[in-house]
Amino acid sequence: MQTELVLDSLSTAVIVIDETLVPLYANASAEQLLGISRSRLTEHSLPHHYLSLALDEDLLGRTVSQQNSLSISRVPLITLENQAHVVDVSITPYETQQRRLCALIELRSVEQQLKIHQALVSKNQQQAAQLLVRGLAHEIKNPLGGLRGAAQLLDRELDQPEQQEFTTMIIEQADRLKAIVDKLLGPQHPSPRAPFNVHEPIEKALQLVEVTLPPGKIHIIRDYDPSIPEVVMEPDQMQQAILNIVQNAQQALEKSGDTITLRTRTKHQVSIGLHTHKMAVEIAIIDNGPGIDAALVDTLFYPMVTNKPEGSGLGLSIAHTIIAQHQGRIDCDTSHGCTEFTIWLPLTPAIQNEHQKDYHS
């Protein structure tokens, strides 16, 4: 009994199987990983309890019958509920009191570590790209101001309207380039923040989008959790970040049409960078359009990266910068027939405690 209590406290899934690959025991983490109760797990052989595991069934059988040990890293697992995981698999010989040939299988989920590593790599690459673009933007902006000033001085000296047309053109194009450069620079410093209802900037962004939607072609679905506590933010910047992502989804659906879903939830134990937050707000922006080109996924949040003929490639980069300034995280998943941008914003301890009091009261 004591042994089972210890095994149930482990975060690693532990399963004991016999020579026919039928589980004799599974701990609580194994139930959670596979989404199946331990009583049901013992009814059929282990391969019946998942859709796929990149571990050959014959190899698994030989390992048990020959009482060998086996360790394989980063094995893709898809459960019966179509949940994808990446696990480290370890198989160790085990003999019961009845001297039956068995094996102890450990399945340790590593997708969280992979996500943290990928997020850190992406963050470093994003910062390097932004520093490069901002350096170039500053180099362009300085002479641009001088060019515009010289055109204004020249315009005052000219008397003929047909000649002033050229100076006006120079001034207009200089202003256009300055606007592009300002977008490249993005928000430089976080503005003062205060607690706000997260749905306020979402609704303001959606109102701006809905004005431009073609009638009856694209539908917006709101799936909000009204119990979400207030989040410390700068609402105008957050509105801009959400607007950029929703407009990206809108452009993806212009030809096919369909739905954009905005979903809000609270999540526990969310990793952002090197920190794990006890509670965070999740904002998901989902469209069921054609998806994102696989070649762009790794560089999606870089400045000037786009697959649209008339796109600037700045919208997602600016959204990423704003979310990062709020100590948050943004990810993109373009599998399972839809594209989902997910934003996580950490809740401060004071707000967490207040929310938990409300929840339990």
Side-chain angles (χ1 to χ4, degrees):
M1 180 64 70
Q2 188 65 34
T3 302
E4 289 190 7
L5 289 174
V6 172
L7 291 174
D8 277 339
S9 68
L10 295 176
S11 60
T12 300
V14 177
I15 303 172
V16 176
I17 60 172
D18 63 15
E19 64 273 14
T20 64
L21 308 186
V22 173
L24 304 177
Y25 168 80
N27 70 349
S29 293
E31 291 181 297
Q32 185 175 0
L33 178 67
L34 295 173
I36 301 172
S37 67
R38 66 185 77 189
S39 60
R40 284 185 56 205
L41 278 170
T42 57
E43 293 176 357
H44 302 283
S45 66
L46 185 61
H48 281 83
H49 300 303
Y50 50 76
L51 291 179
S52 71
L53 177 69
L55 178 63
D56 184 71
E57 187 175 338
D58 291 336
L59 174 62
L60 182 60
R62 288 197 305 273
T63 303
V64 178
S65 61
Q66 297 174 10
Q67 291 289 275
N68 294 328
S69 297
L70 181 66
S71 294
I72 306 177
S73 300
R74 299 187 179 184
V75 179
L77 165 69
I78 300 178
T79 69
L80 295 178
E81 297 177 343
N82 207 32
Q83 296 294 313
H85 300 278
V86 180
V87 295
D88 285 348
V89 180
S90 177
I91 303 175
T92 307
Y94 179 80
E95 190 173 290
T96 65
Q97 292 178 345
Q98 292 78 25
R99 304 189 66 81
R100 293 176 63 183
L101 296 181
C102 299
L104 188 146
I105 301 178
E106 298 173 70
L107 302 171
R108 186 168 65 89
S109 178
V110 295
E111 61 226 49
Q112 190 68 12
Q113 293 92 314
L114 291 175
K115 284 182 179 178
I116 292 172
H117 173 72
Q118 290 168 352
L120 289 174
V121 170
S122 177
K123 180 181 178 182
N124 292 334
Q125 292 175 338
Q126 172 81 6
Q127 288 176 339
Q130 285 183 336
L131 287 173
L132 175 62
V133 169
R134 285 176 179 173
L136 289 172
H138 280 296
E139 290 298 320
I140 295 170
K141 195 172 184 179
N142 292 332
L144 199 58
L147 178 66
R148 190 186 191 281
Q152 286 178 312
L153 291 173
L154 180 60
D155 186 72
R156 294 172 189 169
E157 299 295 325
L158 298 174
D159 297 325
Q160 300 178 10
E162 61 271 14
Q163 292 178 329
Q164 289 178 323
E165 287 182 10
F166 294 110
T167 55
T168 300
M169 186 185 299
I170 294 172
I171 293 169
E172 289 176 350
Q173 293 304 309
D175 288 341
R176 187 180 69 83
L177 289 173
K178 181 180 179 299
I180 294 174
V181 169
D182 287 340
K183 286 185 178 180
L184 281 172
L185 291 171
Q188 297 301 293
H189 303 287
S191 303
R193 300 174 194 155
F196 281 90
N197 186 324
V198 73
H199 300 113
E200 290 182 18
I202 295 175
E203 277 302 307
K204 288 181 179 179
L206 291 183
Q207 287 170 9
L208 293 172
V209 170
E210 286 176 326
V211 172
T212 64
L213 288 179
K217 193 171 183 181
I218 298 176
H219 304 280
I220 292 181
I221 298 174
R222 293 163 170 84
D223 181 8
Y224 296 160
D225 178 358
S227 70
I228 291 177
E230 292 183 329
V231 180
V232 176
M233 68 169 76
E234 201 295 307
D236 289 340
Q237 285 191 352
M238 191 57 59
Q239 176 187 329
Q240 186 63 57
I242 293 167
L243 178 62
N244 289 356
I245 299 170
V246 175
Q247 286 179 331
N248 201 66
Q250 177 188 355
Q251 292 166 4
L253 295 174
E254 279 180 352
K255 292 183 179 179
S256 61
D258 224 317
T259 59
I260 300 172
T261 301
L262 276 291
R263 185 184 69 224
T264 59
R265 296 289 188 271
T266 52
K267 296 292 182 180
H268 295 270
Q269 300 299 321
V270 175
S271 296
I272 301 176
L274 295 174
H275 304 283
T276 298
H277 298 269
K278 288 179 65 177
M279 186 179 292
V281 173
E282 177 192 83
I283 305 170
I285 302 166
I286 309 160
D287 72 78
N288 49 3
I292 297 171
D293 188 345
L296 295 178
V297 171
D298 292 336
T299 57
L300 197 58
F301 297 107
Y302 289 10
M304 310 301 288
V305 173
T306 180
N307 61 349
K308 302 180 182 71
E310 298 179 359
S312 65
L314 297 176
L316 294 179
S317 175
I318 291 171
H320 184 280
T321 300
I322 291 171
I323 299 305
Q325 288 179 350
H326 282 76
Q327 285 76 52
R329 180 179 122 209
I330 179 170
D331 288 342
C332 176
D333 181 7
T334 186
S335 59
H336 306 299
C338 66
T339 299
E340 178 173 343
F341 285 89
T342 308
I343 298 169
W344 286 275
L345 299 172
L347 288 170
T348 63
I351 292 176
Q352 287 180 29
N353 293 337
E354 194 64 34
H355 179 56
Q356 289 168 347
K357 286 179 185 176
D358 293 341
Y359 180 80
H360 291 296
S361 62

